[in-house]
Amino acid sequence: MAGLPLARRMPFERPRGTNDYGPEEMARRRAVETLLRETAHRFGFREISTPTIEHLDLFTAKSGPGIVEELYNFKDKGGRDVALRPEFTASVVRFYVSELRNLPKPVKVYSVGNVFRYEEPQKGRYREFAQFNAEIIGAPALQGDAEVIALAIECLRSVGVKDVAVRIGHIGMLRAFLKLPPEEQGKVLHWLDKRNLPALHDELKRLGLEALEAPLREYVELKGGPDVLDKGASILEGVGREGFDYLRALAARLQAYGIGNVTFDLGVVRGLDYYTGMVFEVDSPNLGAEKQVMGGGAYTLAELLGGEPVSQTGFAFGLDRIVLAAEAEGVKLPTPRLDCYVVPIGKAFQARGLEVLIALRGAGVSADIDLLGRGPSRNLDYANTLKARFAVLVGESETKKGVVAVKNLDSGMQEEMRIEELIVHASVRTH
Ligand code: HAM
C-alpha cells in the first residue's frame, strides 16, 4: 500500500510518438477516412486487411535502410523475429503472392490502419500513425500509374484539400545511371533522398563512383515542366530516354483524366527501396517541415517475395497529415452530430423521457438522455457542449398535450410537436 500515493501522483504517460484522439478529433479523422474509402470505391478499389505484425524479414530484406533503422521488432514468445508493420506495401504484396494472384487482373486494393516507425517525433511525424494505402497489381504500367495518381488526387479533392503540389519523378533512370547491383543502390538513394550530401559523398567514394556525385546533385534539383525531362536526359548520359518519354506519356494520360497541373521533379527518390519506375509525392505547403501528405510509385516486390513478375504501383497517405492539411485550409469536415438530447423535467417525467428516447433511437435518430438528474438549464448547457442539434424537453404540460418541446440548439427556436413529427424533423440532416 505504501506505493499507492506515489503511483497516484505520477499518472501514466503514453509512449513517445503515439497519440490519443479525443471525440472531436476522432470524428474528423473518421470523416476523412470515410471520404477516402468512398473515393477508393468510386475508383473500383476493394478493401483488404493484413496483420499488424509480420515476420521481420519481410521488411529487412526489401524495404531499404531507411525503414529498417526505424522498425519496431522483437522476438515473440516462440522465439520468432517479428516486426510491427512500418507500411502496407510489403504485406499487400506478400498476400498477393500467396493468395490474391488468382484474382482477375488488375487487382485494385486499399487498406486503412496503423503502422509503426521508430522515428524522431515532431508535429506530423509520429511513431504510430494511420495510413490509407492503395495498390494496383497487374495493370500495364502507364495505365496503372495514371490510375493511382488520379485516385490520390481525387482523394485529396474529396476531403477538400486544395493547396497541394504533385511532383512526379522516375527512380528507374537514377538506378540505371548508378550502374550498381540493386543491393548496392540502397544507400546511395537513401542519402540522396535525405539530401545528406556528406554521407552521399562518402558512399560514392566507397563505391569508387565519385565521378557521379556532381551529375547526381545537379539532377535531383531538376523540377518543373517538360523541359526538365530533356535536361535530365542530358545529365544522365548513357541512360537513354525511355523513362523520360514514359513521364511525358504519363502526363498526357493524366491530362485525359483532367489532371493538368503536374510538376516533374527528378529529385523524388522516396525512402523505400522497392521503387523501380515512376515515383510521386504530394505536399501540402501548409504543413511546415512534415509537409508530405502522400507518396508512392511503381515498384518491384512480387518477384522478390517469390511471385511472378507483374507490374505493381501504389501510394499511401498519412491520415494525420491529411487531417492537419484539411484543418490548415479551414475545411469543414462533415462530422456527425447528436440529433436529440432528451431532458425530462423533474423525476416524474423520467419514464416518459425514456419512452421518447427509445422511440427516437428505434427510428434511427441519434439520441441521448440526462443520466445525472440535472436541472433543465444545466442539461441545456450539457446538450450544447455535446453540439446536439435539438434538445427535447419532456415536462408536464407537453406530456398532457401528447407532444414534446423541441429546441433547435443552433437557432434557439422552440416548438412543440408529436414524437412522429420530431422523428421526421430530426431525420433531415443538413451536415
Ligand atoms: P511513405 O512515403 O513512407 O510511403 O509513407 C506514406 C505517407 O505516410 C507519407 O507521405 C506521410 O504522409 C505518412 N507518414 C510517413 N511517415 C510518417 C510519420 N512518422 N508520421 C506520420 N505520417 C507519416 C509508404 O509507406 C509506401 N508504402 C507507399 C506506397 C504504397 N508505395 C507504393 N505503394
Side-chain angles (χ1 to χ4, degrees):
M1 286 309 280
L4 199 57
L6 182 66
R8 279 206 190 129
R9 278 204 302 276
M10 291 169 50
F12 280 110
E13 281 180 19
R14 57 176 192 253
R16 202 160 124 73
T18 61
N19 287 295
D20 295 314
Y21 298 103
E24 304 272 332
E25 254 177 310
M26 210 50 217
R28 286 197 293 276
R29 290 169 65 78
R30 280 282 178 248
V32 166
E33 196 184 315
T34 303
L35 291 165
L36 296 177
R37 281 177 195 281
E38 281 168 6
T39 308
H41 282 278
R42 259 197 295 133
F43 273 61
F45 284 71
R46 294 185 295 166
E47 184 171 11
I48 59 168
S49 174
T50 56
T52 317
I53 53 172
E54 293 274 6
H55 292 296
L56 176 64
D57 57 2
L58 179 68
F59 306 115
T60 48
K62 326 295 174 199
S63 297
I67 281 289
V68 170
E69 283 162 19
E70 294 169 358
L71 279 176
Y72 270 91
N73 57 299
F74 53 96
K75 278 200 193 294
D76 71 7
K77 288 185 176 154
R80 285 169 289 260
D81 285 309
V82 291
L84 300 180
R85 63 182 174 206
E87 55 125 19
F88 280 94
T89 310
S91 303
V92 173
V93 177
R94 174 195 52 69
F95 188 21
Y96 169 82
V97 168
S98 62
E99 287 174 58
L100 301 181
R101 67 172 191 283
N102 299 322
L103 293 179
K105 304 285 180 307
V107 174
K108 297 171 72 177
V109 289
Y110 78 90
S111 304
V112 190
N114 285 9
V115 299
F116 303 82
R117 296 183 189 179
Y118 198 83
E119 295 201 75
E120 207 34 59
Q122 62 177 69
K123 187 173 161 68
R125 197 207 288 155
Y126 311 116
R127 290 184 172 169
E128 179 181 17
F129 59 97
Q131 275 193 344
F132 172 91
N133 183 86
E135 313 286 352
I136 300 183
I137 304 177
L142 184 68
Q143 287 81 343
D145 284 348
E147 177 81 351
V148 291
I149 295 175
L151 171 63
I153 292 174
E154 187 57 30
C155 281
L156 286 162
R157 265 192 209 148
S158 71
V159 173
V161 175
K162 294 196 188 76
D163 191 7
V164 286
V166 184
R167 300 177 286 109
I168 305 182
H170 199 297
I171 197 82
M173 296 292 93
L174 270 176
R175 289 189 184 282
F177 184 61
L178 289 178
K179 294 187 198 74
L180 285 169
E183 58 282 7
E184 295 273 21
Q185 295 173 358
K187 280 217 165 125
V188 177
L189 295 175
H190 177 61
W191 297 130
L192 259 185
D193 178 42
K194 298 274 177 224
R195 297 295 192 275
N196 185 334
L197 299 179
L200 175 70
H201 173 83
D202 291 348
E203 185 62 17
L204 288 172
K205 197 166 165 205
R206 190 184 70 78
L207 295 163
L209 295 176
E210 290 101 320
L212 301 191
E213 186 176 340
L216 279 177
R217 286 176 59 166
E218 191 185 351
Y219 180 81
V220 295
E221 296 308 321
L222 290 176
K223 198 163 153 183
D227 57 315
V228 306
L229 300 179
D230 296 326
K231 281 194 204 137
S234 70
I235 294 173
L236 298 195
E237 256 177 64
V239 162
R241 297 203 51 95
E242 199 189 321
F244 302 107
D245 293 342
Y246 180 83
L247 288 183
R248 238 180 260 275
L250 181 62
R253 192 164 172 99
L254 288 173
Q255 188 84 49
Y257 273 90
I259 300 165
N261 55 346
V262 298
T263 300
F264 296 112
D265 181 352
L266 302 183
V268 179
V269 179
R270 309 284 300 124
L272 293 148
D273 227 13
Y274 44 61
Y275 295 103
T276 44
M278 174 284 294
V279 278
F280 74 114
E281 288 175 350
V282 181
D283 302 327
S284 161
N286 302 311
L287 290 191
E290 298 301 321
K291 63 184 190 315
Q292 195 195 111
V293 281
M294 54 143 292
Y299 56 92
T300 308
L301 256 185
E303 297 88 319
L304 298 174
L305 301 183
E308 302 285 316
V310 62
S311 65
Q312 304 138 66
T313 186
F315 70 87
F317 271 107
L319 211 66
D320 298 276
R321 295 200 190 160
I322 191 169
V323 173
L324 288 171
E327 283 167 1
E329 287 190 34
V331 172
K332 204 168 170 321
L333 292 163
T335 49
R337 290 175 67 183
L338 180 72
D339 293 317
C340 294
Y341 184 78
V342 180
V343 182
I345 320 267
K347 281 212 178 83
F349 294 93
Q350 291 292 331
R352 170 69 181 149
L354 281 175
E355 208 180 293
V356 171
L357 177 83
I358 288 160
L360 290 169
R361 288 179 176 170
V365 172
S366 61
D368 199 356
I369 193 166
D370 172 41
L371 299 179
L372 300 186
R374 282 188 275 233
S377 90
R378 298 187 71 190
N379 257 324
L380 283 178
D381 290 346
Y382 182 68
N384 273 314
T385 57
L386 288 182
K387 297 201 175 78
R389 296 167 60 218
F390 303 105
V392 181
L393 307 163
V394 182
E396 188 174 0
S397 73
E398 292 86 10
T399 303
K400 271 192 191 145
K401 286 190 255 175
V403 296
V404 289
V406 178
K407 183 172 169 109
N408 182 321
L409 294 177
D410 293 328
S411 66
M413 301 274 286
Q414 186 164 318
E415 53 185 320
E416 291 185 341
M417 57 184 86
R418 288 183 292 115
I419 293 182
E420 304 75 52
E421 291 169 318
L422 172 59
I423 288 169
V424 175
H425 195 59
S427 301
V428 181
R429 297 185 184 92
T430 51
H431 55 274

